[in-house]
Amino acid sequence: MTRSLRLPSGLKLMNLLLGSWTGVVFAFLYIPILLLIVFSFNDSQLNLRWEGFTLDWYRALAEDTVLIDALKNTLIIAAITTAISVVIGTVGAWLLYRYTYPWRKLVNTLIFIPMAIPEIIMGISLLILFSMTMSLLESWQALEWMPQWYQELTIQRGFTTVIIAHVTFCFPFVLVAVQARLVGADASLEEAAMDLGATPLKAFWFVMVPYMLPAIISGALMAFTLSMDEIIISWFTAGPDSQTLPLKIFARVKKGLDPSLNAISTVFILATAGLVVLSEWIKRSSREVSKR
Amino acid sequence: MNRRQFILTASAAALATPAFAAAKKETLNIFCWSEYIPQSVIDQFAKANNVKVNVENYASNEEMMAKLQAGSSKYDLIQPSEYIIEEMVKDGKLETIDLANIPNFKNLDPKFTKMPHDPENKYSVTWMAGNVGICVNKAKVKDPIKTYADVFQDKFKKRIVVLDDNREMVSWALASLGIGINDITKENLEKAKGVLAKWLPLVKLYDSDSPKTALLNGDCDLGIIWNGEGAKILQEMKKSKKRKLDFEYVLPTEGAHMFIDSLAVPKGAKNKAVAEKFINYILEPKVSVAVYDEFPYTLANAEGCKLLKPDQLANNASFPVGDPKLDTFKMISPDMAGAIDKVVTDLKNK
Amino acid sequence: MQAAISTAAQVKGPQRRPGWTGWLLMAPMLLWLLAFVVVPTAILFVYSFCERGTPVEWKFTWENYARVFGGTELWPLLKCVLEAAGVTAVAVLVDWFRSPSRMREERAESAKRVGTAIFVTVLLWIVWTDLSNVFTGTYVRIFVRSLYYAGFTTLACAAVGYPVAYCIGKASDRWRNLLLMLVMIPFWTSFLIRTYAWITILNENGLMNAFLQSARITQEPISMLYTPGAVVLGLVYSYLPFMILPIYGSVEKLDNSLVEAAFDLGASPVRAWQTVILPLTQPGIIAGVLLVFIPAIGMFAITDLMGGKTVPMIGNVIQNQISGQARDWPFGAALGMTLLAMFAAAFWFTTRKQGDDAVMG
């Protein structure tokens, strides 16, 4: 890791220090994860200390449709949330940078509200909002002259409501990350592209997006992570068919967090790590092919 | 393995009972305590009756109330405790239950029917009972611990875990003062505050979800916890081969809280008939034992108790021996709930 | 924090008024903000002026806000400010006479800089050591404590995360995205499972104690869990990635030739960092500070699980009002609104100083 640093020459000591600090921090990040993986093989229901090796929890996991469904729901919700958040956050940051909107300060403050507000307040207020909208709908549905499609309209807690809630607290993270990247960005970049005949859309897509990309990636990673791990807001807004993994895990605390929960985390982490390595490998081999 | 055995027996039972007419699949929306109803029980019921069962969980009575009050939640079956039932009945939030549709009601121990919070069982059926008692690690604590005051001694400073439940804490203080745990008035609360002011600084950990963890890990030596948690510790004591554990579960002589977790149908439920069917199903002796296997609280099902193994019945955390002083909670006014919250918040916030 | 907000709001590119396309593109975000941020917040704002009921009684009252600020006395806080001012005055005087050779302007400049830094640090320190006497109101004290925890988390995350972000940002293309993913992957497990893994490590019969004892560093097991140290560890662990990622965004675009130039001119690593690298990566640091500090104020799950729940955080209190035993929605809403108002006030105040034309356009 240290060797690949592109730091100025004559700074070997600093490089070494930086590299080893990074190593220490990564160890800090991964020690609990390693432990979690090891304990997924623990022969103990309560899973507090090591009692012996077993694969039973992986067998139990294979039969545990509730957990598997919950993981599926979590991934669907996190993926859609990330996609919407990236679009809203990136476009929002770019527009706020490019144009001077009236009440810009107000908009900037509003963006931070979902971050600043405690999750429980946001959860309950969104649930109240959804149920108020529903009762409003229902009261008008009593009117007979309303069209058929309107009569059938209904708001139920489910994927849509969770995703709405998740996007609301995730997109500000993307926006702030992209905004930080745009500070001091060369304004002439985009204009130069347009002077050369690019349409505004093309200028945005081929000039601005690549420039913002590192921030977009980190924003997307943050949004995905936040959505994957959210409990309180999900508890209020999720319906019976959209229960997420954190909700199901939380529901099992009382029973004791048995190792099958470690097992599902392990399977997921290893699968992700595998995918990352695979995509790197594909990228690298395609690069080598193109070099030839 | 217990679970698998249960599935086998339950599916045999399911085959024996005539399947529900499969014309239209009905849904049953259950809002219940965290994983209180084992998934296997739900799956079996769904299969036998051709019903789609949706489950959402909550971690406290108050959480349940919050979500019900926020609206847009249409549940068919909820699982409130005694003092919440009293309140919901008063506010007209529960449907009446027709016991004629629940023949298995007779399986319940008469001790747990016709209780003060619902004298005629018009609105609720007891699901499981439980209590709050003291759990002691005898390897670390040599003195006999019999009362709340025994727990909160200076020498146990920062070795105590208690439930993170303000009303419980106040009730312990009241009991140790010789005041009834439901006698919550302004004056009594003031007295309780004096006691708690000495007690709370000794506490290392407040945990309602899994207080057994700190006891088993050795971070705390004694605590006041749910009896189901205590029963799990006693089970672990027998199971663990590698190390010797020595715990005991005692009910304080001043008296303790007994909670009655029940099943009830909230107002506006769409599928009361199926909910009643589910209540009846869960009162089957075998089903109730399957629940006890995962949640060793006090089994209220007398017929079910007959099926338990001797060592399960001998677990004194699940099944109190002798005749301890146990009281249920009565509903309290919102003002008093607020006052209790203020007392504990102030004391913790020193 | 204040400086942080001001610069974030200062983000500005080509100053241009939006045409209809500008508005059209902005519309989705504005509508989203209106429907799912403004309206729900407004509902709770209304609730916060109602009386408690099941769940609310539609009667106007100031009572909830009176409770939030109740019991607050100004004098103890004023005393702290005066004490801090005294210390600052002494320090500034010492600084003034230390090197007489300096120009008058230079001295004034230095006095201002040193003075502000010392004043803020000393004030924060005095208040923290004597929190229960300085803030006499129950809920105000809880607010302040939560702010301190959030501030400390932010500082610790910045100190731990900056070098890591720098390292990742300067890594070769091959490594960069891989390392970024590696920072995030641990957080794709559930928060609860991760925390229980820490509990397995830190408890008295846990791995850490086993290691310390086998290495003969200690004889008796040490109580590590449910202590302030455990809380800090848990907080830094949970928020670190939200500091690393935005800083990475800034480091990645840092022009190497500038850094090299600094070194060619004979700057030491520290000075190069101070004068070149730090200013250029400042936007990333500010974004990181925002992303950590703001969510951390309302956070309580980590302090509960790692710290034993012995001191209440503002998040606990609000939770207890809404889905806990207190069951007082209007008061919970009032606490939430106060938190928002504090935040909004800080935001507006710091951006106002930057000059309205820059921000308002």
Side-chain angles (χ1 to χ4, degrees), chain A residues 1 4-8 11 14 18-19 21-22 25-26 28-33 35-36 39 48-49 84 88 91-92 94-102 104-118 120-121 124-126 128-130 132 164 167-168 171 173 175-176 179-183 187 191 211 214 217-218 221-222 224-226 228-229 232 246 249-250 253 257 261-262 265 268-269 272-273 276 280 283-284 287, chain C residues 8-9 11-18 22-23 25-26 29-30 32-33 35-41 43-44 47 160 163-164 166-167 170-172 174-194 196-198 200-201 205 207 233 237 240 242 245 248-249 252-253 256 259-260 263 269 283-284 287 290-291 294-295 300 318-319 322-323 329 332-333 336 339-340 343-344 347-348 351-352 359-361:
Chain A
M1 202 185 305
S4 58
L5 289 176
R6 287 187 285 123
L7 280 171
L11 279 169
M14 197 168 109
L18 272 178
W21 177 252
T22 307
V25 172
F26 270 97
F28 170 65
L29 287 177
Y30 275 87
I31 282 172
I33 304 306
L35 193 76
L36 176 164
F39 270 58
L48 295 175
R49 65 186 55 234
I84 302 178
I88 296 185
V91 173
W94 174 67
L95 290 171
L96 284 174
Y97 151 84
R98 197 166 193 283
Y99 299 112
T100 50
Y101 287 88
R104 172 178 176 156
K105 197 162 145 188
L106 180 71
V107 173
N108 254 321
T109 319
L110 284 181
I111 287 162
F112 284 102
I113 286 185
M115 284 164 72
I117 204 161
I120 181 110
I121 295 267
I124 194 122
S125 65
L126 281 171
I128 295 171
L129 172 76
F130 293 142
M132 274 183 170
I164 287 177
V167 170
T168 307
F171 90 84
F173 282 81
L175 195 140
V176 171
Q179 254 184 352
R181 175 87 181 175
L182 284 173
V183 173
E191 272 157 27
Y211 180 76
I217 291 174
S218 46
L221 279 173
M222 286 193 279
F224 190 81
T225 309
L226 284 166
M228 283 280 294
D229 209 10
I232 300 174
I249 290 177
F250 196 72
V253 188
L257 295 170
L261 301 174
N262 292 35
S265 305
F268 182 66
I269 286 191
T272 339
V276 171
E280 283 297 310
K283 244 192 269 170
R284 207 158 298 171
R287 222 176 283 154
Chain C
V11 175
K12 56 176 191 283
Q15 299 284 325
R16 213 192 300 170
R17 296 212 158 267
W23 279 107
L25 286 168
M26 198 60 164
M29 190 177 91
L30 291 179
W32 194 286
L33 282 173
F36 303 118
V37 177
V38 177
V39 173
T41 312
I43 294 175
L44 279 205
Y47 273 30
V160 174
V164 179
Y166 194 88
C167 230
K170 289 293 150 208
S172 67
R174 277 171 61 187
W175 284 99
R176 226 182 285 147
N177 286 335
L178 194 66
L179 288 174
L180 264 194
M181 287 293 284
L182 280 178
V183 170
M184 267 347 228
I185 285 179
F187 298 88
W188 292 0
T189 58
S190 167
F191 149 78
L192 221 55
I193 307 260
R194 274 193 319 266
Y196 269 79
W198 275 117
T200 316
I201 295 173
N205 292 317
L207 297 176
L233 183 125
Y237 187 83
L240 195 54
F242 297 93
L245 264 63
Y248 155 81
E252 202 265 348
K253 71 171 180 184
N256 267 324
V259 184
E260 271 166 44
F263 283 111
L290 288 174
L291 297 189
I294 296 173
F300 58 92
I318 296 176
Q319 172 114 333
I322 286 172
S323 65
W329 285 19
L339 189 62
L340 273 190
F343 158 76
F347 196 94
W348 280 71
T351 45
R352 189 182 52 92
V359 180
M360 305 292 283

Side-chain angles (χ1 to χ4, degrees), chain B residues 60 62-67 69-70 83-84 87 91 93 140 158-159 164-168 200 203-210 213-214 216-221 243 334-335 337-342 345-346 348-350, chain C residues 47 52-56 67 131-132 137-142 145 196 199-200 202-206 209 222-227 304-305 307-312 316-317 319-329 331:
Chain B
S60 73
E62 288 74 18
E63 269 187 13
M64 177 198 79
M65 293 300 279
K67 204 162 172 181
Q69 285 172 349
Y83 64 105
I84 294 287
E87 182 187 320
D91 294 343
K93 297 275 173 60
K140 298 268 187 71
K158 297 292 168 197
R159 303 304 300 170
D164 181 41
D165 187 308
N166 298 347
R167 180 156 184 204
E168 290 288 349
L200 297 191
V203 174
K204 183 177 195 177
L205 167 67
Y206 298 89
D207 188 354
S208 291
D209 293 325
S210 184
T213 307
L216 285 169
N217 276 340
D219 285 296
C220 293
D221 297 335
R243 54 184 185 139
D335 285 346
I340 290 176
D341 180 67
K342 178 111 182 27
T345 307
D346 277 348
K348 279 190 186 176
N349 191 28
K350 279 290 170 236
Chain C
Y47 273 30
R52 81 180 289 172
T54 49
V56 283
R67 266 181 81 191
L131 196 62
S132 53
T138 306
Y139 297 103
V140 174
R141 190 188 312 155
I142 297 176
R145 186 185 297 121
Y196 269 79
I199 290 177
T200 316
L202 296 178
N203 73 66
E204 285 191 21
N205 292 317
N209 267 310
I222 311 173
S223 239
M224 283 181 279
L225 211 52
Y226 316 120
T227 58
D304 282 1
L305 280 167
K309 228 172 178 175
T310 42
V311 283
N316 289 109
V317 178
Q319 172 114 333
N320 212 12
Q321 305 302 321
I322 286 172
S323 65
Q325 287 184 333
R327 289 169 63 193
D328 192 343
W329 285 19
F331 183 51

Side-chain angles (χ1 to χ4, degrees), chain A residues 24-187:
Chain A
V24 169
V25 172
F26 270 97
F28 170 65
L29 287 177
Y30 275 87
I31 282 172
I33 304 306
L34 282 180
L35 193 76
L36 176 164
I37 294 174
V38 170
F39 270 58
S40 68
F41 301 102
N42 189 6
D43 191 8
S44 154
Q45 166 92 41
L46 288 178
N47 206 17
L48 295 175
R49 65 186 55 234
W50 184 254
E51 299 278 357
F53 180 87
T54 179
L55 284 171
D56 281 354
W57 302 108
Y58 285 88
R59 259 171 242 139
L61 177 64
E63 287 167 18
D64 199 335
T65 48
V66 175
L67 274 194
I68 294 170
D69 282 348
L71 177 61
K72 227 186 287 169
N73 290 342
T74 313
L75 288 175
I76 293 172
I77 292 168
I80 300 179
T81 300
T82 309
I84 302 178
S85 301
V86 162
V87 173
I88 296 185
T90 310
V91 173
W94 174 67
L95 290 171
L96 284 174
Y97 151 84
R98 197 166 193 283
Y99 299 112
T100 50
Y101 287 88
W103 300 315
R104 172 178 176 156
K105 197 162 145 188
L106 180 71
V107 173
N108 254 321
T109 319
L110 284 181
I111 287 162
F112 284 102
I113 286 185
M115 284 164 72
I117 204 161
E119 287 163 319
I120 181 110
I121 295 267
M122 190 164 155
I124 194 122
S125 65
L126 281 171
L127 181 54
I128 295 171
L129 172 76
F130 293 142
S131 62
M132 274 183 170
T133 320
M134 187 60 218
S135 45
L136 212 66
L137 272 180
E138 272 173 357
S139 66
W140 286 339
Q141 274 166 353
L143 306 170
E144 275 173 23
W145 47 267
M146 281 292 187
Q148 183 65 30
W149 62 266
Y150 185 83
Q151 300 285 351
E152 282 160 14
L153 215 57
T154 163
I155 299 175
Q156 266 166 356
R157 284 173 303 116
F159 281 100
T160 319
T161 51
V162 197
I163 290 170
I164 287 177
H166 280 205
V167 170
T168 307
F169 71 79
C170 284
F171 90 84
F173 282 81
V174 181
L175 195 140
V176 171
V178 176
Q179 254 184 352
R181 175 87 181 175
L182 284 173
V183 173
D186 195 348

Side-chain angles (χ1 to χ4, degrees), chain C residues 205-251:
Chain C
N205 292 317
L207 297 176
M208 194 60 162
N209 267 310
F211 169 76
L212 290 177
Q213 277 165 306
S214 67
R216 307 229 176 268
I217 298 170
T218 55
Q219 300 294 314
E220 289 292 301
I222 311 173
S223 239
M224 283 181 279
L225 211 52
Y226 316 120
T227 58
V231 175
V232 170
L233 183 125
L235 286 171
V236 173
Y237 187 83
S238 309
Y239 284 99
L240 195 54
F242 297 93
M243 184 63 81
I244 293 180
L245 264 63
I247 297 181
Y248 155 81
S250 280
V251 171

Side-chain angles (χ1 to χ4, degrees), chain B residues 46-67:
Chain B
K47 213 171 183 186
N49 294 297
N50 194 27
V51 172
K52 186 175 184 306
V53 183
N54 293 321
V55 183
E56 284 179 57
N57 303 109
Y58 53 84
S60 73
N61 280 302
E62 288 74 18
E63 269 187 13
M64 177 198 79
M65 293 300 279
K67 204 162 172 181

Side-chain angles (χ1 to χ4, degrees), chain C residues 67-110:
Chain C
R67 266 181 81 191
V68 172
F69 296 102
T72 306
E73 293 163 33
L74 274 182
W75 173 237
L77 184 61
L78 209 63
K79 215 173 75 187
C80 288
V81 173
L82 289 177
E83 275 173 31
V87 175
T88 312
V90 174
V92 168
L93 278 179
V94 170
D95 182 64
W96 187 270
F97 291 111
R98 207 187 44 193
S99 42
S101 63
R102 286 181 300 176
M103 303 287 279
R104 199 181 165 75
E105 291 79 28
E106 208 179 322
R107 279 180 171 185
E109 182 60 34
S110 163

